[in-house]
PDB file of all heavy atoms in Angstrom:
ATOM      1  N   ALA A 568     -18.421 -27.089  13.747  1.00  0.00           N
ATOM      2  CA  ALA A 568     -19.878 -26.920  13.798  1.00  0.00           C
ATOM      3  C   ALA A 568     -20.492 -27.752  12.680  1.00  0.00           C
ATOM      4  O   ALA A 568     -19.805 -28.141  11.726  1.00  0.00           O
ATOM      5  CB  ALA A 568     -20.247 -25.446  13.632  1.00  0.00           C
ATOM      6  N   PRO A 569     -21.794 -28.054  12.771  1.00  0.00           N
ATOM      7  CA  PRO A 569     -22.456 -28.841  11.718  1.00  0.00           C
ATOM      8  C   PRO A 569     -22.385 -28.127  10.358  1.00  0.00           C
ATOM      9  O   PRO A 569     -22.323 -26.898  10.276  1.00  0.00           O
ATOM     10  CB  PRO A 569     -23.906 -28.945  12.211  1.00  0.00           C
ATOM     11  CG  PRO A 569     -23.824 -28.702  13.677  1.00  0.00           C
ATOM     12  CD  PRO A 569     -22.699 -27.739  13.882  1.00  0.00           C
ATOM     13  N   LEU A 570     -22.421 -28.929   9.305  1.00  0.00           N
ATOM     14  CA  LEU A 570     -22.396 -28.384   7.949  1.00  0.00           C
ATOM     15  C   LEU A 570     -23.796 -28.052   7.433  1.00  0.00           C
ATOM     16  O   LEU A 570     -23.965 -27.775   6.250  1.00  0.00           O
ATOM     17  CB  LEU A 570     -21.727 -29.374   6.993  1.00  0.00           C
ATOM     18  CG  LEU A 570     -20.192 -29.387   7.026  1.00  0.00           C
ATOM     19  CD1 LEU A 570     -19.650 -30.547   6.218  1.00  0.00           C
ATOM     20  CD2 LEU A 570     -19.644 -28.071   6.499  1.00  0.00           C
ATOM     21  N   ALA A 571     -24.764 -28.078   8.321  1.00  0.00           N
ATOM     22  CA  ALA A 571     -26.135 -27.781   7.915  1.00  0.00           C
ATOM     23  C   ALA A 571     -26.241 -26.348   7.406  1.00  0.00           C
ATOM     24  O   ALA A 571     -25.563 -25.444   7.909  1.00  0.00           O
ATOM     25  CB  ALA A 571     -27.079 -27.988   9.097  1.00  0.00           C
ATOM     26  N   PRO A 572     -27.095 -26.113   6.407  1.00  0.00           N
ATOM     27  CA  PRO A 572     -27.268 -24.747   5.879  1.00  0.00           C
ATOM     28  C   PRO A 572     -27.700 -23.777   6.972  1.00  0.00           C
ATOM     29  O   PRO A 572     -28.446 -24.130   7.889  1.00  0.00           O
ATOM     30  CB  PRO A 572     -28.360 -24.916   4.821  1.00  0.00           C
ATOM     31  CG  PRO A 572     -28.312 -26.360   4.441  1.00  0.00           C
ATOM     32  CD  PRO A 572     -27.927 -27.095   5.686  1.00  0.00           C
ATOM     33  N   ILE A 573     -27.237 -22.569   6.871  1.00  0.00           N
ATOM     34  CA  ILE A 573     -27.583 -21.511   7.834  1.00  0.00           C
ATOM     35  C   ILE A 573     -28.882 -20.856   7.384  1.00  0.00           C
ATOM     36  O   ILE A 573     -29.019 -20.412   6.243  1.00  0.00           O
ATOM     37  CB  ILE A 573     -26.467 -20.456   7.923  1.00  0.00           C
ATOM     38  CG1 ILE A 573     -25.161 -21.104   8.403  1.00  0.00           C
ATOM     39  CG2 ILE A 573     -26.886 -19.321   8.839  1.00  0.00           C
ATOM     40  CD1 ILE A 573     -25.193 -21.643   9.796  1.00  0.00           C
ATOM     41  N   GLU A 574     -29.841 -20.791   8.298  1.00  0.00           N
ATOM     42  CA  GLU A 574     -31.095 -20.098   7.994  1.00  0.00           C
ATOM     43  C   GLU A 574     -30.943 -18.626   8.367  1.00  0.00           C
ATOM     44  O   GLU A 574     -30.793 -18.271   9.539  1.00  0.00           O
ATOM     45  CB  GLU A 574     -32.249 -20.728   8.781  1.00  0.00           C
ATOM     46  CG  GLU A 574     -33.608 -20.108   8.435  1.00  0.00           C
ATOM     47  CD  GLU A 574     -34.757 -20.780   9.161  1.00  0.00           C
ATOM     48  OE1 GLU A 574     -34.547 -21.879   9.743  1.00  0.00           O
ATOM     49  OE2 GLU A 574     -35.868 -20.216   9.160  1.00  0.00           O
ATOM     50  N   LEU A 575     -30.956 -17.792   7.354  1.00  0.00           N
ATOM     51  CA  LEU A 575     -30.760 -16.365   7.581  1.00  0.00           C
ATOM     52  C   LEU A 575     -32.080 -15.692   7.930  1.00  0.00           C
ATOM     53  O   LEU A 575     -33.142 -16.100   7.455  1.00  0.00           O
ATOM     54  CB  LEU A 575     -30.165 -15.708   6.335  1.00  0.00           C
ATOM     55  CG  LEU A 575     -28.771 -16.189   5.927  1.00  0.00           C
ATOM     56  CD1 LEU A 575     -28.334 -15.508   4.641  1.00  0.00           C
ATOM     57  CD2 LEU A 575     -27.762 -15.918   7.033  1.00  0.00           C
ATOM     58  N   PRO A 576     -32.040 -14.642   8.753  1.00  0.00           N
ATOM     59  CA  PRO A 576     -33.271 -13.919   9.090  1.00  0.00           C
ATOM     60  C   PRO A 576     -33.783 -13.150   7.886  1.00  0.00           C
ATOM     61  O   PRO A 576     -33.023 -12.815   6.965  1.00  0.00           O
ATOM     62  CB  PRO A 576     -32.821 -12.967  10.204  1.00  0.00           C
ATOM     63  CG  PRO A 576     -31.363 -12.752   9.940  1.00  0.00           C
ATOM     64  CD  PRO A 576     -30.855 -14.060   9.394  1.00  0.00           C
ATOM     65  N   GLY A 577     -35.059 -12.881   7.869  1.00  0.00           N
ATOM     66  CA  GLY A 577     -35.613 -12.036   6.822  1.00  0.00           C
ATOM     67  C   GLY A 577     -35.168 -10.612   7.000  1.00  0.00           C
ATOM     68  O   GLY A 577     -34.679 -10.221   8.065  1.00  0.00           O
TER      69      GLY A 577
END
Side-chain angles (χ1 to χ4, degrees):
L570 280 171
I573 299 295
E574 184 177 347
L575 297 177

